[in-house]
């Protein structure tokens, strides 16, 4: 780049904010990881290598993640085909319901699943009604798989549905003329488009299940069904073996980083918008229609029943009104309403500032450098939130924590957790603004706040509102950071719900779970509205 061009286009405001965000991310994550490396204790790397319990935990972590990913991809593919080829009233509502599972707090889903598949749930009562003495056991590997399938079948379904909708109409019509049916049609027409998503969906779900925390902590049922992330939490909270927890956390970070790199290299897939208009499908046979209709009913019931149980349990708990007098509930509500929007605002603010630097570097043709900086913003995908929280806990353990300290740590952890999703939402519209208006703004010398208000805001308003609502919902339901730093005086709705479930206060838990569900539903409505405006 010529020096004259650099001087003409150089403005410190283009770089200072982005450099500050990058420095903050590196210092925040780096100091947490450094504190893990610096912990001294009796538990060493040699003990880590020969620890049979760790071998079992690591094997189970990988095995449950593999099973969850395989089953989610398989059922997600079948359900996606069923939704694509069957037309019925309420189809759009069910697909929106599937999107709700993405932002639903894990503990709310767990409460609903316990009410349906637990020892005293609906399935057990139906078994008694039929005269059977069989009692379902949701704890252990079975419960973990059920919870993971609840969250990940809808995710895989939406990913495969995108691919099915990207198949050109001409190819479907040609296949119909050539009388391609059944497996031959799937192999020759659909698989070339679906193949690009199979590995992406598998790796994404595998990473989500490998780092699953609240689900395994609640439904694991004992040391036999413990994952690495839960073992880290137990080493801190129950054994207070900081050296052991640090090495476990570093091992978790290394594995997640390897999975992240592997999925980035091999799991990139194109995505298309979900539009159901102007699609042509060949008529399915009666047997296929019956099979796909039954599959839709079963999977919809699988997703809907736990949510319905949560609402019903709250209204018939007998404590729906009396619990509102609880000081603990109002404290949890207050902190949740403070933590969630603050973390969301921080995530959006850091993402916008970082993207301003990234798009400026892209405009100056530093594409590789810009992509590297963008990857730093998504590093939380390779560093689990619990690992960050534990590193900060060890770094600051000599400090007498006040509520303000705890609040700041939890907000920062939740903001970093939401940043990858916010960056993905805002990256394209901010890049488009640069392409469309950069030369105009330079010629008219419009910059800073004036540029944002006059030029940027019209295109970024809907995406930013969508990103803020999504980040707010993710933070509202997050249990990872608050599980380590929470207490009776500093709590949140997920933290309170976990305490109620742990003490078998199911009636109180039903009300707390319903409040969380209702809040997520309200924000979800906002998310869907802003999503539609963004797509338009």
């Amino acid at each position: 780049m010529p020096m004259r061009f650099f001087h003409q286009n150089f403005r410190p405001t283009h770089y200072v904010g982005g450099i500050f965000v990058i420095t903050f991310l590196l210092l925040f994550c780096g100091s947490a990881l450094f504190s893990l490396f610096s912990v001294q204790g009796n538990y060493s790397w040699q003990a880590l290598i020969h620890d049979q319990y760790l071998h079992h935990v690591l094997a189970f972590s990988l095995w449950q993640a593999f099973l969850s990913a395989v089953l989610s991809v398989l059922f997600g593919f079948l359900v996606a085909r069923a939704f694509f080829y069957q037309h019925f009233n309420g189809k759009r509502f069910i697909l929106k319901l599937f999107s709700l599972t993405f932002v639903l707090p894990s503990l709310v889903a767990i409460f609903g699943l316990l009410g349906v598949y637990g020892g005293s749930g609906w399935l057990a009562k139906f078994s008694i009604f039929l005269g059977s003495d069989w009692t379902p056991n949701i704890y252990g590997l079975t419960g973990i798989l059920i919870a993971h399938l609840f969250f990940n079948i809808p995710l895989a379904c939406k990913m495969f549905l995108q691919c099915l909708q990207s198949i050109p109409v001409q190819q479907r019509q040609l296949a119909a003329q050539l009388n391609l049916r059944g497996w031959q049609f799937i192999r020759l027409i659909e698989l070339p488009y679906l193949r690009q998503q199979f590995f992406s969906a598998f790796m994404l779900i595998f990473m989500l299940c490998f780092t699953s925390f609240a689900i395994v902590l609640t439904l694991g049922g004992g040391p036999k069904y413990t994952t690495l992330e839960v073992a880290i939490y137990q080493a801190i909270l129950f054994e207070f073996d900081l050296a052991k927890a640090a090495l476990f956390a570093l091992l978790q970070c290394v594995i997640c980083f390897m999975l992240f790199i592997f999925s980035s290299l091999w799991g990139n897939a194109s995505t298309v918008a979900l539009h159901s208009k102007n699609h042509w499908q060949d008529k399915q046979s009666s047997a296929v229609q019956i099979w796909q209709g039954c599959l839709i009913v079963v999977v919809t019931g699988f997703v809907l029943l736990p949510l319905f149980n949560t609402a019903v349990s709250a209204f018939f708990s007998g404590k729906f009104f009396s619990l509102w007098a609880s000081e603990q509930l109002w404290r949890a509500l207050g902190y949740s309403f403070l933590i969630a929007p603050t973390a969301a605002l921080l995530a959006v603010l850091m993402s916008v500032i970082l993207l301003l630097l990234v798009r400026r570097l892209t405009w100056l043709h530093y594409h590789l450098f810009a992509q590297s900086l963008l990857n730093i913003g998504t590093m939380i995908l390779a560093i689990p939130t619990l690992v960050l929280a534990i590193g900060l806990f060890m770094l600051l353990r000599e400090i007498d924590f006040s509520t303000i300290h705890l609040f700041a740590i939890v907000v920062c952890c939740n903001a970093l957790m939401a940043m990858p999703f916010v960056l993905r939402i805002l990256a394209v519209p901010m890049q488009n603004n640069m392409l469309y208006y950069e030369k105009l703004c330079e010629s008219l010398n419009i910059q800073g706040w004036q540029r944002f208000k006059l030029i940027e805001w019209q295109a970024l308003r809907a995406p930013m509102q969508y990103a803020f609502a999504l980040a707010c919902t993710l933070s509202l339901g997050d249990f990872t950071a608050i599980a380590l730093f929470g207490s009776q005086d500093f709590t949140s709705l997920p933290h309170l719900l976990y305490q109620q479930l742990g003490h078998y206060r199911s009636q109180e838990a039903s009300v707390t779970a319903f409040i969380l569900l209702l809040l997520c539903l309200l924000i979800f409505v906002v998310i869907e509205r802003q999503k539609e405006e963004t797509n338009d």
Side-chain angles (χ1 to χ4, degrees), residues 413-462:
C413 288
N414 288 357
L416 290 180
M417 173 198 66
M419 265 195 75
F421 305 100
V422 177
L423 287 170
R424 184 174 182 180
I425 294 169
L426 298 180
V428 173
M430 289 193 66
Q431 184 69 18
N432 289 340
N433 275 359
M434 171 70 78
L435 296 176
Y436 298 154
Y437 304 116
E438 181 64 21
K439 291 183 178 180
L440 174 65
C441 292
E442 287 188 353
S443 63
L444 298 177
N445 196 29
I446 302 175
Q447 55 181 303
W449 172 249
Q450 290 298 319
R451 171 172 174 166
F452 182 82
K453 182 177 66 173
L454 299 176
I455 306 295
E456 307 266 9
W457 177 245
Q458 295 303 317
L460 293 179
R461 180 179 60 84

Side-chain angles (χ1 to χ4, degrees), residues 104-244:
L104 190 69
S106 299
L107 288 173
V108 174
I110 290 169
F111 178 83
L113 291 170
L114 286 171
V116 177
Y117 305 103
S120 57
W122 292 4
L123 189 60
K125 293 177 181 177
F126 184 70
S127 175
I128 294 174
F129 175 78
L130 295 178
S132 173
D133 58 353
W134 174 77
T135 302
N137 181 20
I138 196 174
Y139 294 99
L141 180 61
T142 303
I144 294 172
L145 290 179
I146 289 175
H148 283 164
L149 291 177
F150 173 85
F151 283 104
N152 295 320
I153 287 179
L155 174 62
C157 173
K158 297 296 285 287
M159 294 177 71
F160 290 130
L161 196 55
Q162 290 178 342
C163 286
L164 290 173
Q165 292 181 344
S166 68
I167 300 176
V169 171
Q170 293 81 0
Q171 290 193 17
R172 295 185 177 277
Q173 293 173 337
L174 180 61
Q177 292 176 356
L178 297 175
N179 198 30
L180 292 178
R181 298 287 188 274
W183 169 245
Q184 291 298 321
F185 178 82
I186 296 175
R187 183 175 65 87
L188 297 175
I189 304 299
E190 292 183 342
L191 279 185
Y193 290 88
L194 291 169
R195 191 179 294 117
Q196 60 182 336
Q197 280 287 24
F198 273 119
F199 188 79
S200 294
F202 177 85
M203 287 303 302
L204 174 61
I205 295 172
F206 185 92
M207 288 182 64
L208 291 174
C209 296
F210 181 78
T211 57
S212 179
F213 177 66
I215 290 174
V216 181
L217 181 65
T218 309
L219 299 178
K224 184 179 179 181
Y225 303 107
T226 298
T227 58
L228 189 57
E229 194 146 340
V230 175
I232 297 169
Y233 175 76
Q234 293 172 341
I236 286 282
L237 205 65
F238 301 135
E239 303 174 29
F240 203 71
D241 191 337
L242 300 183
K244 182 178 181 179

Side-chain angles (χ1 to χ4, degrees), residues 39-67:
V39 172
Q40 301 293 328
N42 296 326
Y43 198 88
S44 62
W45 284 104
Q46 290 76 14
L48 184 77
I49 295 174
H50 297 94
D51 191 338
Q52 295 298 319
Y53 175 68
L54 175 62
H55 297 166
H56 167 76
V57 167
L58 186 58
F60 178 75
S61 301
L62 296 171
W63 176 239
Q64 61 85 21
F66 176 79
L67 283 179

